[in-house]
Amino acid sequence: MIEFRQVSKRFPDGTLAVSGLDLVIPARQTTVFVGSSGSGKTTILRMINRMVDPSSGSILIDGNDIGGLEPVALRRSIGYVMQNSGLLPHRTVLDNIATVPLLRGAKRGTAREHARELMAVVGLDPNLAQRYPAQLSGGQQQRVGVARGLAADPNILLMDEPFGAVDPIVRAELQVELQRIQRELGKTIVFVTHDIDEAFLLGDQVALLRHGGILAQLGAPRELLDNPADEFVSGFIDAGRPRSILR
Amino acid sequence: MTWIVANWDQIARYGLQHVWLSVPPIVAGTALSIPLGQLANRYRLSRGVLLSIGGILYAIPSLPLFVLLPSLLGTRILDPLNVEVALTIYALALMLRATADALASVDGQVTLSATAVGYGGWRRFWGVELPLAGPVILAGVRVVSASTVSLVTVGSLIGVNSLGFFFLDGYQRYFPTEIWVGIVGTVVIAVVFDLLLVLAGRLLMPWARPSRRAGRATATLLGVEAEPS
């Protein structure tokens, strides 16, 4: 369980990215932060592994304030998947997946063997093991990214618009795949997207943010659809629906 | 041709000496450019100062520097160390900008993602930033290698002999064959060094080799222009 207590973040340039966020992210469920750019969703995600430290307030993981934890060790204990995969271009697929176990001091052979198993988990052809990221398609790169996020078997998986840069068909495939993985592994997933449909599809809980990192509504997808808190929420949901301009 | 056969021992000896004089400045200049290049990228001021010093150093004419160094280093006038130090200065002057630019060209998304998965600063530099800067650094080393191999010949003027000896001797004796031996020999060494560097790059950075499928994309990602083929 991840807890935000009155968390605010003001960047040195004066931008208020997150203001007074109070929120609980339950364990073993998927919580999706959705909002347009400038809604602070990525900042919120990055505060969980201390890529960004809050200006005020505190964040607790399983009751421990992460402000007192060593950032590098904390990051190695949390999976991270980002847009455009963020893979290391000079490492093979296998070594990319094994990155975190290797950083934590695992033996190369063991880490690679485990990486091979993870390739199967995320549905990657084992023949791709020795390829470099640039030799893969966008969808394959994202699968490698997910496998890398899972490699150290973290309880928490942070996903920053992981499917934002792939075409709609591949995105749909990856979404289904993620749902399957989540059913099997039951991680605490924190997912960031600007796509409301993706949020409703993947989220057990959806946090809709308005500009400046203010929580507009938090709830299960059904609640947001049936009882939008205000016009901003209903407007955001409607804007995501395809308009019937074609006859 | 008979002259070459008759003097083969001397040619081989000076050729070997040429190689030995060239390698240390290339290696030392490159090695020194890594911490200094990183420092240059750290602050706006350090970048301006370091890169300007690099430019000025390269403008010092080589012969006066060879002559001046013994009094600065306390070495004997004929000590090869003078040439080595002078050539290291030139190599560093060229490599400083190349390395600084190479390190600055590393994709910010990749370093960010390395941080996100738990790379500490030191390990990220050696494990991610430096290797990814490799292709651009290598391009700089190739220039420095050729320039150093050519500059070594100037050392012959102060008695530190290499294939440059043959230009000098041939010129004094009005003997073109000897001059040609010096020039061709120097070019051969420069070309062999370059081939070895390219080969080392292929072996150490297999990921940078443009593949048939995504070659163009890789090359642009790395900020390197694909080599004309």
Side-chain angles (χ1 to χ4, degrees):
Chain A
M1 185 175 77
I2 307 167
E3 238 177 302
F4 283 78
R5 289 190 184 161
Q6 276 301 307
V7 172
S8 295
K9 175 65 188 179
R10 188 180 285 282
F11 283 109
D13 67 358
T15 331
L16 190 62
V18 180
S19 32
L21 186 67
D22 259 316
L23 173 108
V24 171
I25 296 171
R28 297 182 169 275
Q29 289 190 17
T30 304
T31 297
V32 180
F33 286 92
V34 61
S36 18
S37 52
S39 63
K41 53 192 192 299
T42 294
T43 305
I44 291 171
L45 192 79
R46 287 185 182 167
M47 287 197 286
I48 298 173
N49 72 351
R50 294 202 61 192
M51 298 270 284
V52 175
D53 280 325
S55 311
S56 62
S58 50
I59 299 163
L60 290 80
I61 295 179
D62 296 332
N64 301 314
D65 189 333
I66 63 166
L69 301 177
E70 209 276 308
V72 172
L74 176 71
R75 288 173 201 147
R76 287 178 192 170
S77 71
I78 296 176
Y80 197 97
V81 186
M82 62 194 276
Q83 198 177 359
N84 295 321
S85 77
L87 299 175
L88 301 175
H90 60 308
R91 300 272 170 82
T92 60
V93 165
L94 213 54
D95 284 349
N96 261 291
I97 297 174
T99 301
V100 184
L102 289 175
L103 284 171
R104 290 169 75 159
K107 288 219 175 67
R108 197 164 284 272
T110 325
R112 283 186 175 154
E113 206 169 304
H114 181 51
R116 234 174 254 285
E117 292 164 20
L118 279 164
M119 287 184 74
V121 172
V122 299
L124 275 167
D125 181 347
N127 292 324
L128 299 175
Q130 296 307 324
R131 294 267 188 99
Y132 291 99
Q135 299 169 317
L136 304 181
S137 71
Q140 287 168 335
Q141 288 185 23
Q142 288 310 126
R143 284 172 196 264
V144 177
V146 173
R148 179 175 73 168
L150 293 169
D153 197 22
N155 294 324
I156 300 170
L157 190 59
L158 307 179
M159 307 186 85
D160 187 4
E161 302 210 36
F163 311 142
V166 293
D167 68 67
I169 295 171
V170 175
R171 186 183 313 145
E173 265 173 42
L174 290 170
Q175 287 166 343
V176 170
E177 202 84 354
L178 180 64
Q179 287 177 303
R180 177 185 61 77
I181 291 169
Q182 173 65 345
R183 270 197 307 277
E184 285 169 13
L185 302 178
K187 302 289 181 190
T188 304
I189 297 181
V190 186
F191 194 106
V192 158
T193 181
H194 58 259
D195 177 353
I196 190 76
D197 289 329
E198 186 169 66
F200 284 162
L201 178 71
L202 298 175
D204 297 307
Q205 169 176 263
V206 174
L208 181 54
L209 298 161
R210 65 176 94 231
H211 196 80
I214 300 162
L215 188 60
Q217 190 170 0
L218 174 73
R222 200 72 258 163
E223 287 170 52
L224 268 72
L225 273 168
D226 293 348
N227 301 305
D230 54 25
E231 280 188 8
F232 173 80
V233 175
S234 53
F236 197 95
I237 293 171
D238 286 344
R241 302 262 159 255
R243 267 165 237 144
S244 330
I245 48 167
L246 298 175
R247 278 161 219 276
Chain B
M1 208 61 207
T2 38
W3 185 88
I4 297 175
V5 175
N7 292 279
W8 184 250
D9 277 358
Q10 197 188 18
I11 296 172
R13 195 168 71 245
Y14 282 168
L16 207 61
Q17 205 159 332
H18 199 128
V19 169
W20 284 122
L21 284 169
S22 308
V23 171
I26 299 170
V27 173
T30 306
L32 287 171
S33 79
I34 292 168
L36 289 171
Q38 176 73 344
L39 182 66
N41 285 338
R42 188 62 59 84
Y43 313 102
R44 191 191 296 247
L45 181 72
S46 61
R47 182 176 176 87
V49 170
L50 282 170
L51 293 186
S52 306
I53 292 177
I56 293 166
L57 284 178
Y58 198 69
I60 304 173
S62 53
L63 190 54
L65 188 59
F66 289 158
V67 178
L68 198 68
L69 274 173
S71 58
L72 293 175
L73 300 172
T75 41
R76 285 176 304 110
I77 191 101
L78 287 178
D79 196 329
L81 194 64
N82 301 323
V83 175
E84 299 292 81
V85 171
L87 294 179
T88 301
I89 291 173
Y90 291 127
L92 176 60
L94 281 177
M95 279 313 294
L96 191 57
R97 182 175 288 273
T99 305
D101 288 349
L103 289 169
S105 74
V106 174
D107 185 355
Q109 286 296 308
V110 174
T111 46
L112 183 81
S113 131
T115 308
V117 299
Y119 270 92
W122 185 254
R123 201 153 173 186
R124 192 186 64 203
F125 179 76
W126 293 104
V128 179
E129 291 169 60
L130 189 62
L132 289 180
V136 183
I137 293 179
L138 180 65
V141 177
R142 290 176 65 184
V143 173
V144 166
S145 159
S147 137
T148 304
V149 168
S150 143
L151 274 171
V152 160
T153 59
V154 183
S156 295
L157 286 169
I158 56 161
V160 178
N161 277 325
S162 60
L163 292 176
F165 167 83
F166 298 117
F167 313 156
L168 213 62
D169 198 49
Y171 179 72
Q172 280 160 358
R173 293 164 51 188
Y174 299 102
F175 184 40
T177 312
E178 201 180 350
I179 298 179
W180 277 111
V181 166
I183 294 174
V184 172
T186 306
V187 170
V188 166
I189 292 176
V191 169
V192 169
F193 275 26
D194 197 54
L195 289 174
L196 288 175
L197 285 171
V198 172
L199 192 69
R202 291 263 164 94
L203 290 174
L204 292 172
M205 303 182 281
W207 49 274
R209 193 173 351 175
S211 67
R212 244 165 297 152
R213 179 157 174 202
R216 192 171 288 262
T218 325
T220 355
L221 270 174
L222 296 167
V224 190
E225 313 228 331
E227 288 177 46
S229 48

